[in-house]
Amino acid sequence: MNATVAGAPVSFGVFELTPEGSEIVSPDELLESLAAAGYRGVDLGPEGYLGRGPELRARLDRFGLDLAGGWVQLPLTDDDAFEASLPTLRSVLRRFSEGAERGPARLPLPTLADDGSATRKAHPGRGEEVDPLAATAWHRLLANLETAARIVREAGFEPTFHHHAGTFVESPAEIDHFLAHSDVGLTLDTGHLFIAGGDPAEAIRRWGDRINHLHLKDVDVGRLRGVLSAGGGMREVWSGGAFVAFGRGDVDLEGVMEAMQRRAYDGWVVVEQDVLNGPSAPIAEFLASRSVDQRINRGALSRWV
């Protein structure tokens, strides 16, 4: 397997849903922690978090890291909202261009995702049951995704699509439908697939030819079920500690990595351990805990990459 391992700001509580008022890990602290643990790349995180222009490039250079990708959430089933979101997509693509201006061996992949609905976000893993997508809405989703993919390719990058709990492409059947009607590659996310009732190792056998990006998570099924049975949505999944360090959860990491190795996967492996820190969490302790987990996670992959 010719893969490159990256970390992600979400593993340090830094993403779009970080609670307002929470102190966050600084970008330099985050990158220093990842570099020290042996990561070679990092996801973009919220636009501007790692900087813009020369600041972004200088920061990546200082820690010897390249951009692996970055989350771009788009309201794909709403034509007007989608059109209004395109300036944001183009702005994020400028960050990718700035981050990749040295011509790294492995370019970042803009990671496109559907925005889902409030109902789906409140019932992760049950989207087809609580908020099924009509055929006309599927058509809009796929057409708008095609437009987004064209914009990404015109900017010089290859897009990838992230199935995500709480969105309209969540379950294995919905992923099947997406793949049958789009030429965009798939970001396989082991944690989100687990939430939607899928098996990551089986997913590689089923969709391996289309996987061009890998997000690795481990999931504590007991915690996850506790959150969902109590009526929690995705915010509660993130804040409830359902995503844990490798080896502490129930995802078959060895099965996933062996399956990817058999397919001679050549791409980014992004380690994500999504967590939300509360407003009162002591940031130094939080950073230390997250750093320990990321060392564990990187070490767990050393057999393969």
Side-chain angles (χ1 to χ4, degrees):
M1 185 189 323
N2 181 28
T4 309
V5 182
V10 294
S11 299
F12 293 79
V14 180
F15 62 132
E16 288 76 8
L17 289 178
T18 300
E20 187 174 352
S22 296
E23 189 177 3
I24 64 171
V25 174
S26 75
D28 285 350
E29 290 172 323
L30 189 151
L31 296 187
E32 181 178 25
S33 176
L34 291 177
Y39 293 85
R40 293 174 56 196
V42 63
D43 251 17
L44 182 66
E47 189 195 357
Y49 171 71
L50 295 179
R52 295 178 171 86
E55 179 190 17
L56 170 61
R57 185 63 261 164
R59 176 168 280 132
L60 293 170
D61 286 345
R62 188 158 65 249
F63 294 100
L65 298 170
D66 286 317
L67 281 182
W71 171 260
V72 187
Q73 185 168 298
L74 300 167
L76 295 171
T77 61
D78 183 325
D79 288 339
D80 291 339
F82 172 74
E83 189 67 28
S85 74
L86 291 181
T88 298
L89 171 61
R90 291 188 170 96
S91 180
V92 173
L93 289 172
R94 285 194 291 274
R95 305 291 84 77
F96 284 119
S97 295
E98 292 161 359
E101 66 180 11
R102 284 192 297 104
R106 195 179 300 285
L107 288 173
L109 277 76
T111 309
L112 308 177
D114 172 54
D115 191 31
S117 68
T119 300
R120 284 205 169 207
K121 291 183 178 75
H123 300 86
R126 296 175 52 209
E128 288 181 300
E129 172 190 348
V130 300
D131 191 12
L133 196 61
T136 53
W138 259 117
H139 178 76
R140 285 195 298 274
L141 184 154
L142 292 163
N144 287 329
L145 176 61
E146 183 177 352
T147 297
R150 174 178 52 76
I151 292 170
V152 170
R153 287 167 174 149
E154 287 172 352
F157 300 100
E158 182 60 24
T160 184
F161 185 82
H162 191 315
H163 63 94
H164 197 285
T167 75
F168 286 113
V169 185
E170 174 185 59
S171 71
E174 288 167 337
I175 297 170
D176 277 337
H177 189 82
F178 150 71
L179 291 172
H181 295 88
S182 173
D183 69 347
V184 177
L186 178 69
T187 294
L188 177 64
D189 187 302
T190 58
H192 285 278
L193 187 67
F194 218 75
I195 291 172
D199 178 288
E202 170 59 29
I204 296 166
R205 291 188 288 271
R206 185 169 172 175
W207 305 314
D209 289 343
R210 298 292 300 279
I211 296 170
N212 66 345
H213 206 45
L214 182 62
H215 282 187
L216 283 182
K217 293 180 175 70
D218 203 350
V219 182
D220 183 322
V221 170
R223 288 189 186 182
L224 175 65
R225 288 174 178 165
V227 169
L228 298 181
S229 64
M234 280 309 301
R235 181 180 289 274
E236 288 72 31
V237 170
W238 284 313
S239 61
F243 298 123
V244 294
F246 293 150
R248 297 178 182 171
D250 299 280
V251 171
D252 180 8
L253 177 68
E254 180 174 0
V256 169
M257 293 305 292
E258 288 293 329
M260 295 301 284
Q261 183 157 284
R262 286 192 295 273
R263 301 198 69 87
Y265 175 70
D266 185 355
W268 285 106
V269 174
V270 183
V271 175
E272 291 190 330
Q273 188 184 340
D274 302 9
V275 61
L276 281 174
N277 56 311
S280 61
I283 197 64
E285 294 179 16
F286 183 75
L287 170 61
S289 177
R290 301 284 71 75
S291 296
V292 168
D293 279 357
Q294 297 322 304
R295 288 196 295 273
I296 292 170
N297 291 338
R298 183 63 189 93
L301 297 176
S302 61
R303 286 174 51 188
W304 301 281
V305 287

